[in-house]
């Protein structure tokens, strides 16, 4: 069902945990649908993501996409992190089964939510960053069956 | 190190018992003749089929000619409901069933709704037991059929079948029960329990897949489901699945002989499993009825944990199990059974079903509980829901 990379990231998830006093925290998803993702970002004064941690309640794909997404934004600038799309996360994992595509969207959304929190705390405007929807699962419901 | 496989998904399917397999084997390449043929080589198979039918009838306290072989539980359920609706549709268009039936019943009911029938789906209480008062109130003059499962496939709860049977007899309504999980595992007597039709499947009782039967009480006027030859008293055409029929007959006989001892053994192991899990893993709930449940079924919900993750990690430890999580069903909603017993979505997503079999050992159960403890702990350490719960707990503690 899952690629080797997905299984690897599920079994040995990278960057699990919390960051005390994080620069930005984003939580997205919906327990009703069985997926909640939380991303913590530690961003330095040059707007570089120094550290990133995650916590996820969800299926194997949800854990693996969280793990991969954190790896992909770590050490990147805020601007670069914004360009990490769900497609990129999926490709890095060698693909996901069709019913699990929403998990990768959740990962992208969680990063954006954490960046939005960071921008708000610091009264910054990050170009290309939109206020995240708190629950992306609803828009996915129909095609996800 | 070679990992031992621990199979705790016997509600999904079971291993064919070696004795059952042995009984079946001659019917593939030696005694392969068509039972409808005239020559002795083949017509002996007719006798073998009759014997298999007798074994099953004996287990149920039914007459031999009341057992009709089908391709399995789903076909039996489809046949019972659709044919009863067709046969009694002129009398009324109302059918009563429950919210926790197998999809073979629920989706057939949806189909019948599209054909102009009205279906009442009964609620169940928090342990999954049908509300008898609600059932009585649901009965109308145009109610033609009541279908309530004998035991639930997910949470193992056994329904008050004899009580329902008694009521349907008083009311003169046809009573069908889906006994796919129960047949061969708990005692069933169709006369004492007032059952008019009963579905069962071979592969849930250490018999083969692709074979099942529908018990139809003599006098129930339901018609043929498959038209063609004269097999199964013209009610279900098609050359008989002889090895399958021999298999389900042998399995039924074996199950009846070993039921008492097997159930006692499974119950003991299952209770050990439940006791250890409930004692050693916090924030856990047992789903289903504590007493009135299948001897081999345990179903838990682990708070803050999602079921598919749990299953993958158990699989990596060599343990086969199943879950009512949405992710394992291909939809966004968790199991309709877990929602019907009142579980919130996030708790239903964290459910785990472990169903024991005749080969399950105490060592295996202990290994599974040990692994489960580790896995639940690991998944909780990654769960934002658990994090929030713990933080909230410490806030409360500070406020105190």
């Amino acid at each position: 069902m899952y690629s080797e990379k997905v299984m690897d990231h599920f079994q040995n998830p990278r960057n699990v945990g919390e960051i005390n006093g994080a620069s930005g925290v984003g939580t997205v998803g919906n327990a009703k649908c069985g997926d909640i993702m939380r991303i913590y970002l530690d961003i330095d004064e040059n707007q570089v993501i120094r550290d990133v941690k995650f916590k996820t309640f969800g299926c194997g794909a949800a854990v693996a996409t969280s793990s991969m997404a954190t790896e992909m934004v770590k050490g990147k600038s805020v601007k670069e992190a914004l360009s990490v799309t769900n497609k990129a996360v999926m490709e890095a994992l060698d693909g996901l089964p069709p019913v699990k595509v929403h998990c990768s969207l959740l990962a992208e959304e969680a990063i954006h939510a954490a960046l939005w929190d960071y921008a708000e705390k610091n009264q910054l405007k990050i170009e290309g960053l939109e206020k995240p929807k708190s629950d992306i699962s609803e828009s996915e419901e129909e095609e996800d069956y | 190190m070679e990992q031992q496989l621990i199979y705790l998904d016997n509600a999904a399917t079971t291993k064919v018992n070696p004795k059952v397999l042995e009984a079946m084997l001659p019917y593939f390449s030696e005694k392969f003749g068509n039972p409808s043929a005239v020559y002795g080589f083949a017509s002996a198979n007719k006798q073998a089929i009759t014997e298999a039918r007798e074994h099953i009838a004996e287990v149920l306290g039914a007459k031999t000619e009341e057992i009709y072989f089908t391709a399995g539980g789903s076909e039996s359920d489809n046949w019972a409901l659709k044919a009863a609706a067709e046969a009694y549709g002129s009398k009324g268009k109302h059918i009563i069933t429950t919210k926790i039936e197998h999809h073979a019943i629920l989706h057939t009911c949806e189909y019948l709704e599209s054909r102009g029938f009205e279906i009442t789906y009964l609620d169940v209480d928090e342990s999954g037991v049908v509300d008898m008062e609600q059932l009585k109130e649901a009965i109308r003059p145009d109610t033609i059929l009541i279908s309530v499962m004998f035991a639930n496939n997910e949470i193992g709860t056994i329904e008050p079948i004899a009580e329902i049977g008694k009521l349907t007899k008083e009311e003169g309504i046809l009573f069908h029960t889906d006994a796919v999980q129960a047949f061969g595992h708990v005692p069933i007597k169709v006369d004492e329990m007032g059952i008019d039709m009963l579905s069962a499947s071979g592969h849930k009782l250490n018999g083969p897949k692709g074979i099942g039967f529908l018990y139809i009480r003599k006098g129930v006027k339901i018609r043929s489901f498959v038209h063609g030859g004269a097999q199964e008293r013209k009610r279900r055409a098609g050359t008989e699945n002889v090895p399958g029929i021999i298999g389900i007959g042998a399995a039924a006989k074996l199950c009846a002989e070993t039921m008492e001892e097997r159930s006692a053994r499974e119950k003991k192991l299952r209770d050990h499993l439940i006791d250890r899990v409930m004692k050693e893993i916090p924030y856990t709930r047992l789903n289903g009825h504590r007493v009135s449940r299948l001897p081999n079924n345990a179903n838990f919900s682990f708070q803050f944990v999602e079921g598919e993750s749990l299953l993958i990690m158990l699989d990596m430890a060599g343990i086969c199990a199943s879950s009512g999580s949405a992710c394992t069903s291909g939809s966004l909603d968790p199991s309709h059974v877990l929602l019907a017993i009142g579980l919130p979505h996030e708790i239903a997503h964290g459910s785990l079903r472990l169903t024991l079999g005749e080969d399950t050992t105490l060592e295996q159960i202990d290994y599974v509980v040990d692994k489960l403890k580790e896995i639940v702990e690991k998944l909780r350490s990654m769960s934002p829901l658990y994090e929030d719960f713990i933080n909230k707990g410490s806030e409360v503690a500070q406020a105190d």
Side-chain angles (χ1 to χ4, degrees):
Chain A
M1 175 171 161
Y2 289 133
S3 72
E4 266 178 49
K5 277 223 177 113
V6 172
M7 285 304 285
D8 175 41
H9 276 264
F10 174 70
Q11 288 176 59
N12 312 295
R14 282 60 144 178
N15 307 311
V16 176
E18 300 157 46
I19 297 175
N20 281 329
S23 322
V25 184
T27 305
V28 296
N30 182 338
K32 214 180 150 191
C33 303
D35 288 307
I36 293 183
M37 233 176 250
R38 179 172 296 159
I39 300 259
Y40 296 85
L41 296 174
D42 175 23
I43 299 170
D44 70 12
E45 59 282 5
N46 300 317
Q47 294 205 354
V48 171
I49 297 170
R50 203 158 34 191
D51 199 8
V52 49
K53 296 278 183 205
F54 83 88
K55 286 215 171 170
T56 291
F57 164 84
C59 62
V63 172
T65 52
S66 317
S67 167
M68 182 54 92
T70 57
E71 274 214 319
M72 290 171 79
V73 299
K74 198 169 174 175
K76 299 269 171 65
S77 71
V78 164
K79 210 178 157 197
E80 285 167 327
L82 259 184
S83 65
V84 174
T85 62
N86 79 299
K87 273 210 178 100
V89 174
M90 264 201 324
E91 272 165 28
L93 285 168
D94 293 339
L96 285 174
V99 298
K100 303 288 186 180
V101 172
H102 73 278
C103 296
S104 63
L105 281 165
L106 211 55
E108 181 187 316
E109 194 72 14
I111 302 268
H112 286 196
L115 287 172
W116 182 263
D117 182 45
Y118 161 73
E120 285 222 306
K121 275 181 184 160
N122 295 282
Q123 291 170 327
L124 297 170
K125 172 129 181 55
I126 301 173
E127 207 179 316
L129 180 65
E130 284 170 29
K131 188 171 167 33
K133 288 173 272 177
S134 61
D135 174 16
I136 67 156
S137 51
E138 277 168 19
S139 57
E140 283 306 295
E141 209 146 1
E142 272 167 44
E143 58 182 321
D144 192 58
Y145 190 74
Chain B
M1 191 187 77
E2 201 184 313
Q3 203 172 38
Q4 188 201 7
L5 184 79
I6 299 180
Y7 185 77
L8 291 181
D9 202 15
N10 285 281
T13 194
T14 58
K15 181 172 103 176
V16 174
N17 182 293
K19 285 181 190 161
V20 172
L21 179 64
E22 200 186 324
M24 289 172 70
L25 282 176
Y27 292 90
F28 285 98
S29 11
E30 291 165 47
K31 306 177 181 181
F32 61 86
N34 188 323
S36 301
V38 170
Y39 39 86
F41 158 69
S43 65
N45 289 355
K46 195 116 207 160
Q47 184 51 34
I49 289 175
T50 302
E51 278 166 30
R53 217 186 292 278
E54 282 166 2
H55 293 325
I56 292 168
E58 203 185 312
V59 177
L60 292 173
K63 297 181 189 76
T64 310
E65 64 272 22
E66 292 175 321
I67 307 299
Y68 297 84
F69 290 113
T70 65
S74 291
E75 184 190 316
S76 299
D77 284 344
N78 270 264
W79 184 10
L81 265 56
K82 288 177 191 167
E86 193 190 357
Y88 295 88
S90 58
K91 224 184 107 191
K93 300 264 184 202
H94 183 230
I95 295 171
I96 301 171
T97 187
T98 79
K99 287 185 178 162
I100 61 162
E101 298 296 312
H102 189 274
H103 285 130
I105 294 288
L106 292 179
H107 289 165
T108 304
C109 284
E110 280 167 28
Y111 165 77
L112 289 173
E113 279 176 314
S114 77
R115 311 285 294 182
F117 285 84
E118 216 181 306
I119 319 280
T120 299
Y121 300 93
L122 299 174
D123 293 318
V124 293
D125 68 13
E126 70 281 358
S127 47
V129 180
V130 159
D131 183 345
M132 284 303 293
E133 287 311 308
Q134 204 192 3
L135 171 58
K136 280 176 198 161
E137 281 163 27
I139 294 174
R140 312 192 315 210
D142 63 338
T143 305
I144 52 166
L145 176 70
I146 294 175
S147 180
V148 176
M149 69 199 325
F150 204 103
N152 184 265
N153 49 314
E154 291 185 41
I155 56 174
T157 299
I158 298 173
E159 299 299 335
I161 293 301
E163 226 180 303
I164 299 169
K166 190 167 170 276
L167 178 69
T168 57
K169 294 292 111 21
E170 287 163 8
E171 299 280 344
I173 300 167
L174 208 55
F175 177 35
H176 167 258
T177 184
D178 172 351
V180 166
Q181 294 290 335
F183 179 70
H185 296 280
V186 291
I188 304 177
K189 293 292 173 199
V190 286
D191 284 346
E192 288 164 33
M193 294 176 165
I195 297 165
D196 297 313
M197 291 190 283
L198 176 145
S199 306
S201 172
H203 73 108
K204 310 286 191 188
L205 47 137
N206 300 102
K209 295 169 184 63
I211 185 76
F213 69 84
L214 180 65
Y215 157 80
I216 308 174
R217 180 179 292 282
K218 212 175 164 187
V220 172
K221 290 177 179 54
I222 76 166
R223 287 168 214 168
S224 168
F225 192 54
V226 180
H227 299 94
Q231 292 91 353
E232 303 301 298
R233 297 161 57 83
K234 294 188 189 163
R235 273 176 150 170
R236 202 274 191 184
T239 298
E240 294 89 342
N241 171 1
V242 183
I245 290 171
I246 301 303
I248 192 173
K253 188 164 183 269
L254 205 59
C255 268
E257 286 165 3
T258 60
M259 192 184 292
E260 212 171 309
E261 189 196 340
R262 186 166 34 95
S263 298
R265 201 181 149 273
E266 281 176 352
K267 260 186 203 161
K268 212 174 140 193
L269 288 176
R270 180 202 68 191
D271 289 343
H272 176 72
L273 168 70
I274 292 175
D275 291 345
R276 269 202 70 191
V277 166
M278 296 307 288
K279 212 170 114 193
E280 296 177 35
I281 306 181
Y283 316 117
T284 299
R285 172 199 149 105
L286 176 72
N287 298 317
H289 200 281
R290 186 67 188 84
V291 184
S292 179
R293 79 187 295 143
L294 291 172
N296 72 338
N297 173 293
N299 188 309
F300 305 102
S301 281
F302 301 103
Q303 244 181 298
F304 322 115
V305 164
E306 194 278 327
E308 193 210 71
S309 290
L310 199 58
L311 292 188
I312 302 175
M313 288 202 174
L314 285 168
D315 184 27
M316 290 181 318
I319 301 162
C320 307
S322 71
S323 166
S325 147
C327 278
T328 59
S329 69
S331 80
L332 281 177
D333 279 325
S335 136
H336 64 286
V337 177
L338 298 176
L339 296 181
I341 61 170
L343 294 196
H345 277 68
E346 63 270 29
I347 310 273
H349 282 297
S351 81
L352 177 74
R353 180 185 72 182
L354 299 168
T355 42
L356 286 56
E358 55 183 9
D359 297 335
T360 310
T361 64
L362 182 64
E363 289 70 32
Q364 290 181 335
I365 295 292
D366 279 326
Y367 171 80
V368 169
V369 179
D370 292 344
K371 280 286 161 196
L372 205 49
K373 273 167 75 175
E374 280 173 33
I375 291 169
V376 170
E377 203 180 304
K378 183 177 176 188
L379 288 173
R380 280 182 180 160
S381 76
M382 289 167 59
S383 168
L385 295 175
Y386 189 61
E387 181 188 316
D388 292 347
F389 172 78
I390 293 297
N391 290 342
K392 211 173 164 190
S394 60
E395 273 170 33
V396 172
Q398 276 167 6
D400 287 345

